[in-house]
Amino acid sequence: MSDVLDASPYDALLLLSFGGPEGPDDVVPFLENVTRGRGIPKERLKEVGQHYFQFGGVSPINDQNRALLDALRKDFAEHGLDLPVYWGNRNWAPYLTDTLRDMVRDGRRRILVLATSAYASYSGCRQYRENLADALATLEKEGLELPKIDKLRHYFNHPGFVEPMVDGVIRSLAGLPEDVRDGAHIAFCTHSIPTAAADTSGPVEAHGDGGAYVAQHLDVARLIADAVRERTGVDHPWQLVYQSRSGAPHIPWLEPDICDHLEERKAAGVPAVVMAPIGFVSDHMEVLYDLDTEATAKAEELGLPVRRSATVGDDPRFAAAVRELVVERAAAESGRDVTRCALGALGPSHDLCPVGCCPARAPRPAAAGADSPYA
């Protein structure tokens, strides 16, 4: 058992997330962090911040990360995995650079990173790696000894991520009125991104129409739809749809939008819809507002029964999946035998992001990849 749960050479895990405001006074400064360098006026940020102000200026993401931290620490302790877990955010406290500085001062030298994004994309992977490189550059200027950092592979098709979502869809179907349940459509929802970013997501060989980002989501959607059919005996029609677009109108983004999709399903005679947010690890603001508020209001306007299934959050199966991914990566780094767990047609993702994977428009240093300046 000790060999199975050996985390060496790693001495810490860093939960790396987006961050969110925790009160009304935090909203605009948080959005300034998110949009830094884009020249967006403060008045415009106040308008954008209305989504947060509707909920008291508090994003649920930080509390959800605290719950995930507790779940990870509990699972690690129960299974004898001696690995401390830290938490840092890109855009709000606890800030990544501060957390990484604390880790270095605590003597951590080989750090694994779990990003709260399961799929390949610039914003969901490489941008986190760029933030890690920025933090390391700051610590280097401060004269601190730099740790070696690796990032856990994409976990979109790990059973511990997929199976809780299957249960969530089945519960949502069961919550629909019986006379519309069997005819319900499943809308698998994820964050829209510019089509140019989607097309170049993943390794170079995966680039093309939608890139790895769309392919990975479609694979997960098929896995869930197939599992729902096997467990309920009903073959529900489904489609991958998008939400949370935030870009300029002239730039093409992935479509259809969830609200447009609901209108189309209603016009097509679909009796009900389950919205399954497979692109999100937890029920943070983009789920709370874009699905639970905006899309649900659109469905009510249309007279279309809808339910929204749960994200993975701090489900014990997800915590167990993280433990398995840690042990897997540690074994690979140490030259031990590795069992890589993955469902679907795509197989397990790469450990090390290759050169050209999810490129940025303007190249910036990124840690924890083949092109990292911090080997």
Side-chain angles (χ1 to χ4, degrees):
M1 180 63 72
S2 61
D3 289 338
V4 175
L5 298 182
D6 185 1
S8 62
Y10 298 106
D11 54 22
L13 176 69
L14 169 62
L15 175 66
L16 177 55
S17 193
F18 192 81
E22 299 199 82
D25 292 341
D26 296 345
V27 173
V28 171
F30 163 74
L31 292 173
E32 288 175 332
N33 288 341
V34 173
T35 61
R36 181 166 286 116
R38 301 184 202 173
I40 299 177
K42 182 170 287 190
E43 290 307 311
R44 174 58 182 154
L45 294 179
K46 289 179 180 178
E47 293 176 17
V48 174
Q50 291 306 313
H51 295 181
Y52 292 95
F53 292 128
Q54 287 185 33
F55 297 92
V58 178
S59 168
I61 192 170
N62 280 348
D63 277 346
Q64 289 161 5
N65 280 324
R66 292 182 183 103
L68 178 56
L69 280 172
D70 289 344
L72 292 173
R73 289 166 177 158
K74 180 174 184 288
D75 179 273
F76 288 8
E78 289 177 348
H79 292 84
L81 182 62
D82 185 14
L83 193 71
V85 186
Y86 294 74
W87 169 36
N89 288 325
R90 287 172 48 188
N91 298 297
W92 201 248
Y95 288 102
L96 167 60
T97 301
D98 296 336
T99 299
L100 205 56
R101 184 184 297 110
D102 289 342
M103 297 177 80
V104 169
R105 289 174 174 167
D106 287 347
R108 311 305 176 190
R109 296 293 176 261
R110 290 295 304 272
I111 297 170
L112 262 177
V113 173
L114 167 68
T116 54
S117 174
Y119 301 86
S121 70
Y122 171 73
S123 56
C125 182
R126 185 175 177 88
Q127 193 169 16
Y128 282 98
R129 293 175 48 225
E130 291 175 353
N131 296 144
L132 285 165
D134 291 342
L136 288 170
T138 297
L139 300 190
E140 189 173 35
K141 289 178 182 177
E142 295 173 359
L144 296 176
E145 182 179 351
L146 298 188
K148 186 179 187 306
I149 294 179
D150 292 319
K151 179 178 175 291
L152 288 173
R153 65 176 171 91
H154 301 302
Y155 46 84
F156 64 92
N157 56 0
H158 194 288
F161 185 69
V162 175
E163 289 167 1
M165 293 190 291
V166 173
D167 289 348
V169 171
I170 291 174
R171 284 194 300 269
S172 293
L173 287 166
L176 286 168
E178 189 173 356
D179 60 334
V180 300
R181 187 178 304 151
D182 287 353
H185 170 94
I186 305 173
F188 291 107
C189 308
T190 191
H191 204 301
S192 184
I193 61 174
T195 56
D199 294 346
T200 56
S201 58
V204 172
E205 60 270 19
H207 293 179
D209 188 14
Y213 186 75
V214 172
Q216 290 170 359
H217 280 88
L218 286 172
D219 204 39
V220 171
R222 290 189 194 99
L223 285 167
I224 296 172
D226 288 348
V228 169
R229 183 183 65 249
E230 291 170 7
R231 286 172 53 179
T232 66
V234 179
D235 189 8
H236 291 273
W238 61 270
Q239 186 172 339
L240 179 63
V241 302
Y242 302 93
Q243 62 177 90
S244 311
R245 175 183 171 136
S246 60
H250 68 280
I251 298 175
W253 282 51
L254 293 172
E255 296 177 336
D257 176 78
I258 177 60
C259 290
D260 295 337
H261 181 68
L262 293 175
E263 289 183 343
E264 292 166 359
R265 293 303 86 202
K266 176 64 176 180
V270 168
V273 173
V274 166
M275 301 181 293
I278 63 172
F280 305 92
V281 171
S282 64
D283 289 2
H284 54 67
M285 184 58 72
E286 287 165 315
V287 175
L288 194 65
Y289 181 82
D290 295 328
L291 294 183
D292 292 357
T293 304
E294 191 173 52
T296 299
K298 170 59 69 174
E300 291 175 355
E301 174 190 317
L302 296 168
L304 180 67
V306 294
R307 296 292 184 274
R308 196 269 291 172
S309 65
T311 52
V312 172
D314 60 345
D315 188 289
R317 289 168 291 183
F318 182 49
V322 174
R323 167 173 39 87
E324 291 173 9
L325 289 167
V326 166
V327 172
E328 169 199 302
R329 183 61 180 274
E333 286 295 305
S334 301
R336 303 190 295 271
D337 291 338
V338 177
T339 299
R340 299 180 183 274
C341 195
L343 302 174
L346 298 181
S349 295
H350 49 264
D351 279 339
L352 193 67
C353 291
V355 175
C357 192
C358 304
R361 290 183 180 178
R364 287 175 54 192
D371 56 354
S372 172
Y374 301 101

